[in-house]
Amino acid sequence: MTFKPAVEARFPDFADHTDSLVGHGVEFFLASNETLRPHLNETPYGHKLSWLDFTETAEKEWSIRDFLNFFNVINGIAFGDRGIPMPQWVMVDLILMPAAALIAGLPQAEFADMVERSTFRFDTDVKQLLRKVQQDMRDSGYRGPVPVGGYCAAPSAEPGRWVGWSLWSLMPAVGLGKAAKALALSAYRAQKLDGVTQYDNSALKVHTEFGALKVLVATVPFHTSPGSFVYQSDLTLPAGGEVPEPTFLLDPFDYSRQRAMQKDIEAGRCEFYVLPPGHVRRDGKTYVPILEKELPR
């Protein structure tokens, strides 16, 4: 009997627009290594992913090594000034060896069109940096697709529990981030997903589409980016249900409130959840809707 991955059972329509993205030139790749291939779902939501083995040395129409290198470079550009570019060894040791990366790619002509027409509101330097990537491709003779988004997670010691650590997209407002995450979680057959993000990160809008995020750790001062917290999505929960009203709206830069939340968690007094849609606007400012649940004494 074939069991449907948890994310597909809970969110059966999350990749419905994948065909539309493919129709606009997007191709979805699953990059890993051959030893893990039997353990990965290569047809998430019924969509066949293009397999890439990073150890393969056979000649192709284009270089897998260059494609993965450009993924790494553009991933760093997409995260802008958050100070978390990915060293090459991290990509090998934490993605391609123990797990897999879900990568969305565009043909170079479509990529060039996207660069010229996009505004990249999250960083004014992005367009200039991507033009440099284009020049690097021309200089090296690379003719393959260009990474424009992706999702990465690593398995944890608990079976079925994964740790997500890189969601990005250069194509806003088309649902690429949501599709990449859904396809990846199905490919991993993940049941629970932990992750670290920041209260001001726009990716919260995508993360909370997969249900309210339970805040496991409300503040992570050791992290490179201020305002980081640890969350968990339980993909095995039943689908549906109305989103409750938030208990309060959290200023993403109110570090004192975040420390107070952590003390409540540590003392076993409360649980906190980040509610959809992740960010709300009030009086010209962005806030995070938080549900606070008191725990029985």
Side-chain angles (χ1 to χ4, degrees), residues 3-138:
F3 291 95
K4 183 177 289 188
V7 69
E8 292 192 29
R10 188 175 181 196
F11 305 107
D13 61 339
F14 269 26
D16 284 357
H17 64 301
T18 301
D19 289 341
S20 174
L21 290 167
V22 171
H24 285 84
V26 176
E27 183 175 2
F28 290 97
F29 298 88
L30 191 64
S32 182
N33 67 88
E34 198 66 31
T35 63
L36 295 185
R37 194 169 187 178
H39 305 283
L40 295 165
N41 173 23
E42 291 184 57
T43 56
Y45 286 90
H47 180 78
K48 185 70 174 75
L49 303 176
S50 299
W51 173 257
L52 293 179
D53 185 343
F54 86 102
T55 67
E56 187 177 325
T57 58
E59 290 189 9
K60 295 171 63 74
E61 293 181 10
W62 45 269
S63 166
I64 294 176
R65 176 182 175 180
D66 287 347
F67 177 77
L68 294 174
N69 180 59
F70 286 124
F71 170 83
N72 194 12
V73 170
I74 300 173
N75 174 280
I77 294 172
F79 277 99
D81 60 0
R82 290 188 179 273
I84 45 177
M86 182 165 51
Q88 206 88 345
W89 70 264
V90 170
M91 188 172 183
V92 173
D93 289 12
L94 295 185
I95 306 176
L96 301 173
M97 283 298 296
L102 192 291
I103 305 175
L106 272 181
Q108 291 194 32
E110 283 80 353
F111 177 77
D113 290 342
M114 181 202 70
V115 170
E116 294 310 311
R117 70 173 178 264
S118 296
T119 57
F120 301 117
R121 290 171 296 172
F122 51 89
D123 190 330
T124 56
D125 296 328
V126 166
K127 187 167 292 194
Q128 179 181 345
L129 293 169
L130 292 179
R131 284 173 177 155
K132 184 181 183 304
V133 170
Q134 290 177 288
Q135 186 60 52
D136 291 342
M137 289 189 292
R138 287 191 290 268

Side-chain angles (χ1 to χ4, degrees), residues 158-289:
E158 180 182 328
R161 183 174 177 178
W162 287 68
V163 180
W165 55 280
S166 183
L167 171 66
W168 63 281
S169 168
L170 293 181
M171 300 175 66
V174 296
L176 178 59
K178 177 179 174 180
K181 184 170 182 176
L183 292 170
L185 293 177
S186 177
Y188 301 143
R189 298 187 175 92
Q191 295 181 310
K192 291 183 179 180
L193 178 73
D194 293 354
V196 180
T197 190
Q198 295 75 45
Y199 293 105
D200 68 319
N201 195 329
S202 61
L204 274 183
K205 295 177 182 178
V206 176
H207 294 320
T208 55
E209 289 200 64
F210 293 80
L213 308 179
K214 183 177 181 180
V215 179
L216 300 182
V217 183
T219 179
V220 189
F222 183 69
H223 197 278
T224 309
S225 296
S228 292
F229 71 99
V230 181
Y231 67 86
Q232 182 174 91
S233 297
D234 188 344
L235 303 172
T236 66
L237 294 175
E242 292 186 6
V243 178
E245 287 294 318
T247 310
F248 62 92
L249 298 179
L250 175 68
D251 183 334
F253 305 103
D254 188 347
Y255 303 135
S256 296
R257 186 66 182 272
Q258 293 159 26
R259 289 192 293 270
M261 289 166 60
Q262 178 59 21
K263 289 185 180 298
D264 283 340
I265 294 172
E266 291 174 359
R269 290 188 288 265
C270 302
E271 292 180 342
F272 298 94
Y273 296 82
V274 176
L275 299 176
H279 283 162
V280 295
R281 297 283 292 177
R282 293 289 188 276
D283 302 322
K285 289 190 63 176
T286 297
Y287 294 92
V288 180

